[in-house]
Amino acid sequence: MKRITALLLSVTLLATGFIAFNAKSVKAETKEFNLAFGKQYTAKFVDSAQSENYHGYKFNLGSNTNLRVQVTSKSGSARWGVATKDKGYYSYTYAPSDSVIYLPKGSGYYLLVNGTGEYTLKVTNIGPSKVKFPKSSGKFKDVYSVSIPFTYTGTYDYADKYLKLKNSKPKMANASMSVYSNNTGTVTVYPKRYGKTVISLVMAGGNTAKYTFHVTRGYWYIAKGYKKKAPKPVGVKKPKWSSSKKKKLSIKKKSGKVKAKKGGRVTITAKKGKVKYRLKTVITDYKKLARKTYKEIKDAVNNPSKLKVYHCYRGLYRIRAGAQRIPVVYFDFGHTNYYGAMIRSKMIAYYDDTMNVRSISVSNDNNVYKKKVIKKKVYKK
């Protein structure tokens, strides 16, 4: 949107005589000053319709930076813009103004000011952006994902290009970052295990903001028949394990090896000293899920007798970027619409933490991994 607005403004400015000079035309048609950052300048224009009434301030930049441009005008009609020899305008606005603009490393910049009457100009080199979290840490339980807000100074262009995210323990959680144009952003964390990780936002040439993310309770999705180790709390050695429902899931006290016997919810506890880490575990019974999903599809279509299942699979699915994969069933089926014509639909289904079926329509099956066929006699039973 910024670029589209900038293009429209440049057409307007060209029409009023405020043009993007190359180095030669700037020298010929304006008064040149070597700009000193932080110094205030005063100038007066007689007629803004005459192109020779531009003032061009030359400056160079040795690094990527943000500039604060402050233009005040008694008449309120002064305009300013930043131009280069090759790339044209970077930014422009109307006075009175107090705007921060981002400029990449380069030389041969011209700050051009045009208007009627008297104006004052001050440009400050404020350097790189800075980033900050409102808090330094947080404790979370029973979370699938958490969004942590942050703020930054300077411009969106600079932050979007030079702000980097670091995660101290990727095995504990995945993390992604979004930067917005209103000097805010969010870091979204998807816990894979319970424990602690430090999320760092590093601004090139600026500062580093850190957020310590603690998870004392988390989610774990497994399938019936699973026979591997439970995810150990990050940084915890030799905890003692226990299961809230041994008939559904058994776990060995020392090794943490589990055996998922029945579908449903179970809480696994890893204890170390006085600290307990609880993992809410959802065990998916693929056969049961397939039967429940097939019944829901049959109840939803216009003519159940015309329902045709082309494929039915079990597999793993990632709901959001960065999140862990969860067990699902995937149906590719045909049914008749309101006019009686056969149409094709696709759907995946999984258990939520209340053991209800949740269905999501999908455009293709590329999001379902490790697919295995479920036979008709299983889901039609």
Side-chain angles (χ1 to χ4, degrees):
M1 186 63 188
K2 284 185 175 180
R3 300 185 185 279
I4 295 172
T5 305
L7 180 60
L8 293 173
L9 280 172
S10 66
V11 174
T12 304
L13 295 175
L14 284 168
T16 58
F18 190 54
I19 61 175
F21 294 106
N22 59 33
K24 185 176 180 180
S25 61
V26 168
K27 187 174 182 180
E29 299 182 6
T30 70
K31 296 179 181 179
E32 293 185 356
F33 303 91
N34 289 319
L35 182 68
F37 295 127
K39 182 180 177 181
Q40 185 167 294
Y41 297 83
T42 302
K44 190 174 183 179
F45 290 129
V46 179
D47 183 1
S48 63
Q50 298 178 14
S51 61
E52 62 267 19
N53 288 322
Y54 289 97
H55 281 230
Y57 299 89
K58 296 191 301 183
F59 64 95
N60 298 321
L61 286 177
S63 61
N64 302 301
T65 191
N66 297 296
L67 300 178
R68 182 176 296 280
V69 182
Q70 297 166 294
V71 179
T72 56
S73 171
K74 291 182 179 179
S75 65
S77 62
R79 298 190 296 268
W80 65 268
V82 176
T84 63
K85 178 180 178 181
D86 301 318
K87 297 183 180 179
Y89 284 101
Y90 273 88
S91 181
Y92 25 77
T93 186
Y94 291 91
S97 68
D98 183 357
S99 302
V100 177
I101 62 171
Y102 161 74
L103 292 177
K105 179 180 178 180
S107 60
Y109 284 107
Y110 292 90
L111 177 64
L112 306 176
V113 184
N114 180 304
T116 302
E118 187 175 319
Y119 74 91
T120 59
L121 164 70
K122 185 177 181 180
V123 179
T124 307
N125 188 343
I126 64 173
S129 300
K130 292 185 178 180
V131 62
K132 182 181 179 180
F133 282 117
K135 297 191 299 182
S136 60
S137 65
K139 292 184 178 181
F140 307 94
K141 61 182 181 179
D142 298 342
V143 293
Y144 179 77
S145 66
V146 174
S147 292
I148 306 166
F150 65 85
T151 58
Y152 66 90
T153 61
T155 62
Y156 167 79
D157 292 339
Y158 191 96
D160 187 51
K161 187 172 183 180
Y162 295 106
L163 184 59
K164 306 298 181 184
L165 183 147
K166 292 184 178 180
N167 182 4
S168 66
K169 294 178 180 176
K171 289 184 177 180
M172 185 263 159
N174 291 329
S176 62
M177 175 186 66
S178 298
V179 181
Y180 310 123
S181 59
N182 61 347
N183 291 100
T184 65
T186 57
V187 172
T188 304
V189 181
Y190 299 93
K192 295 190 289 186
R193 301 186 182 188
Y194 33 26
K196 181 177 72 174
T197 186
V198 178
I199 303 299
S200 300
L201 294 179
V202 183
M203 188 72 78
N207 68 314
T208 298
K210 294 184 178 181
Y211 191 96
T212 304
F213 187 90
H214 301 266
V215 175
T216 56
R217 297 183 184 179
Y219 279 107
W220 187 34
Y221 293 87
I222 59 175
K224 180 182 175 181
Y226 185 90
K227 294 181 180 180
K228 294 183 179 179
K229 287 186 177 181
K232 189 177 71 171
V234 176
V236 178
K237 295 182 179 180
K238 298 181 179 180
K240 293 183 180 179
W241 300 88
S242 61
S243 170
S244 64
K245 298 177 182 179
K246 295 180 180 179
K247 290 185 178 180
K248 289 188 175 181
L249 182 144
S250 62
I251 186 167
K252 292 188 177 181
K253 187 176 182 179
K254 292 184 178 181
S255 67
K257 289 183 178 180
V258 303
K259 183 178 181 181
K261 302 175 182 178
K262 294 182 179 181
R265 287 192 299 171
V266 179
T267 299
I268 298 173
T269 302
K271 185 178 180 182
K272 182 67 175 182
K274 295 182 180 180
V275 181
K276 291 182 179 180
Y277 297 90
R278 294 181 176 87
L279 191 64
K280 189 177 289 185
T281 305
V282 180
I283 305 169
T284 301
D285 183 335
Y286 277 117
K287 293 181 179 180
K288 183 178 179 181
L289 180 57
R291 288 194 293 269
K292 290 180 71 172
T293 306
Y294 178 73
K295 185 177 183 300
E296 287 196 2
I297 294 173
K298 197 171 183 179
D299 291 341
V301 297
N302 292 319
N303 190 346
S305 63
K306 297 288 185 178
L307 175 63
K308 181 179 180 180
V309 176
Y310 302 108
H311 304 287
C312 179
Y313 300 105
R314 54 175 284 182
L316 301 174
Y317 183 77
R318 183 167 286 168
I319 297 178
R320 299 184 187 93
Q324 61 178 311
R325 295 176 181 178
I326 61 174
V328 297
V329 295
Y330 163 78
F331 277 87
D332 177 7
F333 60 97
H335 60 101
T336 56
N337 62 13
Y338 181 79
Y339 301 100
M342 182 66 74
I343 58 175
R344 194 162 180 168
S345 299
K346 298 177 181 181
M347 183 178 291
I348 64 170
Y350 66 98
Y351 285 129
D352 65 10
D353 61 333
T354 62
M355 295 313 298
N356 291 317
V357 173
R358 291 290 179 263
S359 300
I360 305 176
S361 296
V362 291
S363 59
N364 57 62
D365 60 352
N366 293 334
N367 294 325
V368 182
Y369 305 89
K370 296 185 178 180
K371 293 185 295 186
K372 292 184 179 180
V373 175
I374 297 179
K375 297 180 180 180
K376 288 183 180 180
K377 64 180 180 180
V378 173
Y379 60 79
K380 283 188 175 181
K381 186 176 178 181

